[in-house]
Each structure stands twice: as C-alpha cells, then as structure tokens.
Amino acid sequence: MNVIADRSMADKVTLRRQAKVASIVASAWNLARENGIAGVSLHALARDVGMRQPSLYEYFDSKHALYDAMFADGNRQLLARLGALKLPGQPRAALKAYLGTLAAFALEDPARYELLFQRHVPDYTPSPESYALAGEVLGGAVALMNDAGVTRQGDIDCIVALTAGLVDAQLSNDPGGRRWTRHLNRLIDLLVDDAITRSKST
C-alpha cells in the first residue's frame, strides 16, 4: 500500500508541476505578444505568475530554457491544428490545405511565428527534442509534396520558401489582410506543375 500511495503522490506532484509549467509558458506567450519574443523578461514573467524570480529558476534554469519550452509548445499547437485537418483525397488539394492551415496558424500570432519560424533570439537554438516537433510539421508537408509529385529537394525547398515568404510579406505589409497569402494556392500550382514537368524531361 505504501508503494502505491508513494506512486500516487509522485504522480500528483508531477501533474502539479506540469500544470505550473504550462501556466508559466502561457504567461510568457502573453508577454511576447506585448513586447516581442526578444522582449520577454524573466523578471516580468515571475511577477506575472506571482512568484519571485529565483523561484522561477526551479522550472526554467535560463531564458533559453524558457524559449525552448515555448518553441515546443508552439509546435505542439501547430501539430494539433494540422492533425485535426480532414485532408482532401486529391494530393495537390491536400498539400494546399496543409500549407494554407500552416500559413493561417502563423498569421494568427506574429510573436509565435517569430519564435517558431524565424531566428530573432540571439544564441538560441532549439533543443533536439523541441526541434523534432518542428521536424514533424515539415515532414508532413514533404510527404504531401511527394504525393503531389514533388520529390526533388530543390523543388521542396522552393515550396517551403514560397510559403514562408508569403507569410513574411503578409505580416510585414498587410497584417490582418490577405494581400499576399491569397496567392498561395496559385503559386503552389505553378511550382508543382514546374517540378513535375522538369522531372519528366530528365
């Protein structure tokens, strides 16, 4: 009985810690939306979650550790969004739906996009565990490109760069609008057609 009780207590402690970490990360995202990713302050974060800064180090031993938790959290959110998609059966339509959802997710939250897809935090590199989540996102896109007939790395890179470039242009020049991202499907068609045509000619 003591072993069972000890395990139950340990599970409760773990769950409480996970809940606290989640609340700290959520507060950090709020600060990032107010001040930008680089403007997240551990001092302000500790104040926001109602603890002293030294106590915050019990959960994150550095600012980069906090960024890494945010990076993982953001990618989990994106994977959940993509996982909930009911993709069309036609490969090219499925690719458009996937990339369109990714772009919409990016546009919802510029601070989250900045951390997940840009490199504005000096000296921060995602941990292998966190980066693996980003790899899942890209892997899903690559699999759909392959299904649509895009298999060469250079062609894959062009479609990835196209999607990112449209999102960047949208956020920079027409936040809240669709001036650039409304062209995503048309440009995907152009690049996929080009990739298939060139692959047949070799």
Side-chain angles (χ1 to χ4, degrees):
M1 289 294 294
N2 287 339
V3 172
I4 295 174
D6 288 346
R7 185 176 301 150
S8 177
M9 180 61 70
D11 289 344
K12 289 179 180 178
V13 170
T14 298
L15 289 173
R16 281 199 298 269
R17 181 177 179 83
Q18 289 173 345
K20 187 63 177 178
V21 167
S23 71
I24 293 171
V25 170
S27 293
W29 280 123
N30 288 334
L31 288 174
R33 292 175 190 118
E34 293 174 7
N35 307 306
I37 284 294
V40 174
S41 157
L42 292 181
H43 178 74
L45 178 59
R47 184 175 62 247
D48 197 51
V49 298
M51 64 172 59
R52 296 174 62 251
Q53 190 168 335
S55 300
L56 190 61
Y57 289 121
E58 295 179 17
Y59 298 92
F60 301 104
D61 60 9
S62 69
K63 194 172 181 180
H64 282 184
L66 173 65
Y67 283 135
D68 204 58
M70 295 171 70
F71 184 89
D73 178 67
N75 276 291
R76 289 191 195 99
Q77 292 177 43
L78 177 52
L79 285 168
R81 181 78 59 85
L82 294 169
L85 272 178
K86 293 183 179 179
L87 293 173
Q90 202 277 334
R92 191 179 300 198
L95 175 61
K96 290 176 181 178
Y98 190 97
L99 293 180
T101 299
L102 194 157
F105 179 88
L107 293 171
E108 286 174 6
D109 190 336
R112 185 176 60 193
Y113 176 74
E114 184 181 359
L115 181 62
L116 267 56
F117 298 104
Q118 299 176 324
R119 289 291 175 266
H120 291 173
V121 180
D123 301 322
Y124 168 65
T125 301
S127 67
E129 296 78 13
S130 294
Y131 197 72
L133 297 169
E136 286 186 48
V137 173
L138 180 59
V142 171
L144 292 172
M145 289 183 217
N146 292 166
D147 291 344
V150 181
T151 57
R152 294 179 176 179
Q153 188 60 53
D155 295 325
I156 291 170
D157 290 345
C158 285
I159 293 177
V160 171
L162 161 72
T163 306
L166 288 176
V167 171
D168 279 343
Q170 191 65 61
L171 287 172
S172 299
N173 301 291
D174 184 32
R178 294 191 64 250
R179 180 178 174 184
W180 275 268
T181 53
R182 65 192 173 96
H183 300 299
L184 179 61
N185 285 350
R186 180 168 67 91
L187 293 173
I188 287 173
D189 278 332
L190 289 172
L191 287 179
V192 172
D193 286 344
D194 177 68
I196 292 172
T197 298
R198 288 186 299 103
S199 68
K200 288 180 179 178
S201 66
T202 57

